[in-house]
Amino acid sequence: MLKDVLQKLKLHPQDPLQIHGYQTYGTNEHLYLLGRALEDEGVNLDKTGLGNAFKNAYKQFRSDELPFAKLKIKLPDDRVFYVETNAEGYFKFDKAVKDLQDLTNEQGWLQLELAYDDENQKRLIKNNNRFPGQMLIPSRKAEFGVISDIDDTILKTGVTSLLKWRVIFNTLFTGVGKRTPFKGAASFYKQLHLGKSGNASNPMFYVSNSPWNLYHYLQAFIKHNNFPKGAILLRDFRTPFDRTPKPEKPHKQREIRNILRTYPDLQFVLIGDSGEHDADIYIEIAEEFPERIKAIYLRSVNHEKRVFRVRGLLERFELTPALLVKDSQTAAEHARELGLIQ
């Protein structure tokens, strides 16, 4: 029995190590990076079929992390910083660093290099111990930012299904290439990304209550379906036995507030759906940050009671243009009338 427990606790020596650097956001003087150090479990999102989809989902949730590992962060100008992972293998680098915007590309992305820095590390490390990291700094020509939900906003998920069985089935048994985006959503997001000028490079932020374990799955979906690249902000995975204190505010509110406070001179468009709590969250944000929200778009899901409730909320809300829409074309027409897109 003890031998089995110890075997589960230790990392399997046959699996090489890797570092997942997440797409985050920062400023010219603020370097903010998130990621995780873990074993390579052989997840291959390009493989199709029900069996491969289930294997990938299983491997993403049973990942073997590398706790308290020392990592190195290298900027394009050869500046180097160091960070250590926590007990679950996650790392967060959140410090003041000057002159970052000049290192970004035309879209505002700062490309970094991540590596293990533990000299005593005797494990096989993938990619010659060189892993990419990326941080978004809004372009100087940005007209506004876009903050969007993912589930049932751009990705057909089924969060309103009984016991959320569709969410479970889609997550476990459907590969990235088989997941369905809402018709016209990618085109609408591209228009928002380009803005009224047609070359604005407006920053995109995808905020979801999905756990970080699904980061690469959702990143692949966004790329595969030609949505504009953006920061992807997920949450920690909590089990029923997790006794750590819950944050005072839910994940989505905290992330949106952080984005708005990070870019005080930028206005935003908020996009969600009527399935869960997006309407309440977005109205609360708009009331807390008057003059900062240019528009709110909520996709109408197939749930009569929730749609009725959201419609009632929006009828009483007059601070910001807010629309409950059935399709992306309606949202695009409204955005064009507001002067957000061409």
Side-chain angles (χ1 to χ4, degrees):
M1 182 68 177
L2 179 59
K3 182 179 179 181
D4 293 338
V5 173
L6 293 175
Q7 182 65 26
K8 290 180 180 179
L9 289 176
K10 73 177 183 178
L11 296 172
H12 304 296
Q14 69 271 20
D15 291 333
L17 302 181
Q18 61 182 339
I19 301 173
H20 287 170
Y22 303 143
Q23 291 170 194
T24 58
Y25 64 94
T27 70
N28 183 51
E29 298 182 345
H30 181 193
L31 185 59
Y32 180 68
L33 300 173
L34 297 172
R36 199 178 193 192
L38 67 170
E39 288 188 352
D40 178 18
E41 300 290 348
V43 174
N44 187 347
L45 297 175
D46 293 328
K47 288 186 175 182
T48 60
L50 186 146
N52 286 320
F54 179 77
K55 288 179 182 178
N56 284 329
Y58 173 75
K59 290 176 180 179
Q60 288 175 93
F61 279 97
R62 70 159 298 277
S63 56
D64 289 319
E65 66 277 357
L66 206 69
F68 311 116
K70 296 178 181 179
L71 306 181
K72 180 168 62 175
I73 302 166
K74 185 178 179 181
L75 300 184
D77 61 2
D78 293 331
R79 279 183 286 177
V80 175
F81 304 91
Y82 299 89
V83 68
E84 185 174 293
T85 63
N86 64 14
E88 295 180 348
Y90 290 103
F91 69 86
K92 179 170 72 173
F93 186 88
D94 186 5
K95 292 185 179 180
V97 178
K98 294 183 178 181
D99 303 323
L100 295 174
Q101 191 153 31
D102 289 339
L103 303 176
T104 63
N105 62 20
E106 292 183 357
Q107 296 294 317
W109 287 98
L110 173 64
Q111 307 291 339
L112 309 124
E113 185 177 292
L114 306 170
Y116 286 95
D117 190 57
D118 189 348
E119 295 180 355
N120 296 319
Q121 183 58 256
K122 297 180 180 179
R123 299 283 302 279
L124 176 64
I125 304 176
K126 291 188 66 179
N127 300 340
N128 294 318
N129 195 23
R130 300 176 65 182
F131 301 92
Q134 301 180 77
M135 188 187 80
L136 175 63
I137 302 176
S139 168
R140 294 184 177 94
K141 58 185 179 181
E143 299 168 356
F144 55 86
V146 178
I147 300 174
S148 173
D149 183 34
I150 296 179
D151 297 330
D152 278 339
T153 299
I154 64 172
L155 169 64
K156 292 183 180 180
T157 306
V159 294
T160 61
S161 60
L162 182 63
L163 300 179
K164 298 189 177 182
W165 69 268
R166 287 184 183 173
V167 178
I168 297 171
F169 180 86
N170 287 330
T171 300
L172 294 180
F173 299 110
T174 310
V176 171
K178 296 293 184 180
R179 296 304 296 271
T180 308
F182 284 96
K183 183 179 179 180
S187 176
F188 177 47
Y189 278 53
K190 285 181 183 178
Q191 290 176 294
L192 289 171
H193 177 59
L194 296 175
K196 178 64 175 178
S197 66
N199 64 348
S201 295
N202 292 326
M204 311 293 294
F205 304 86
Y206 299 97
V207 182
S208 171
N209 282 324
S210 295
W212 283 112
N213 306 68
L214 293 178
Y215 172 85
H216 282 91
Y217 186 94
L218 296 176
Q219 180 192 41
F221 170 84
I222 290 169
K223 182 177 181 180
H224 179 77
N225 290 284
N226 298 314
F227 284 91
K229 182 179 177 180
I232 301 175
L233 307 165
L234 309 182
R235 65 172 179 85
D236 292 339
F237 179 66
R238 295 178 66 92
T239 69
F241 309 102
D242 196 336
R243 294 292 181 263
T244 57
K246 289 185 177 181
E248 182 179 346
K249 281 287 185 181
H251 161 72
K252 192 172 290 186
Q253 282 101 317
R254 287 186 290 110
E255 289 293 355
I256 295 175
R257 284 187 175 92
N258 286 341
I259 294 169
L260 267 67
R261 288 167 179 161
T262 300
Y263 310 113
D265 298 324
L266 201 61
Q267 293 180 298
F268 287 85
V269 173
L270 306 181
I271 309 177
D273 62 81
S274 63
E276 294 193 296
H277 305 293
D278 288 348
D280 305 84
I281 294 170
Y282 292 174
I283 287 173
E284 180 182 324
I285 292 293
E287 291 174 342
E288 184 177 349
F289 296 89
E291 310 299 329
R292 296 290 308 282
I293 307 303
K294 295 180 76 67
I296 296 173
Y297 296 109
L298 296 167
R299 183 178 296 279
S300 178
V301 300
N302 188 24
H303 193 289
E304 185 176 347
K305 289 185 178 179
R306 298 189 186 189
V307 169
F308 180 80
R309 174 182 173 276
V310 170
R311 186 176 290 115
L313 287 174
L314 297 185
E315 286 176 354
R316 298 190 298 271
F317 178 69
E318 300 179 351
L319 185 63
T320 297
L323 204 64
L324 182 65
V325 299
K326 290 186 176 181
D327 53 61
S328 298
Q329 182 179 350
T330 303
E333 291 172 356
H334 185 268
R336 191 171 291 111
E337 292 175 0
L338 291 180
L340 300 176
I341 62 177
Q342 288 186 341

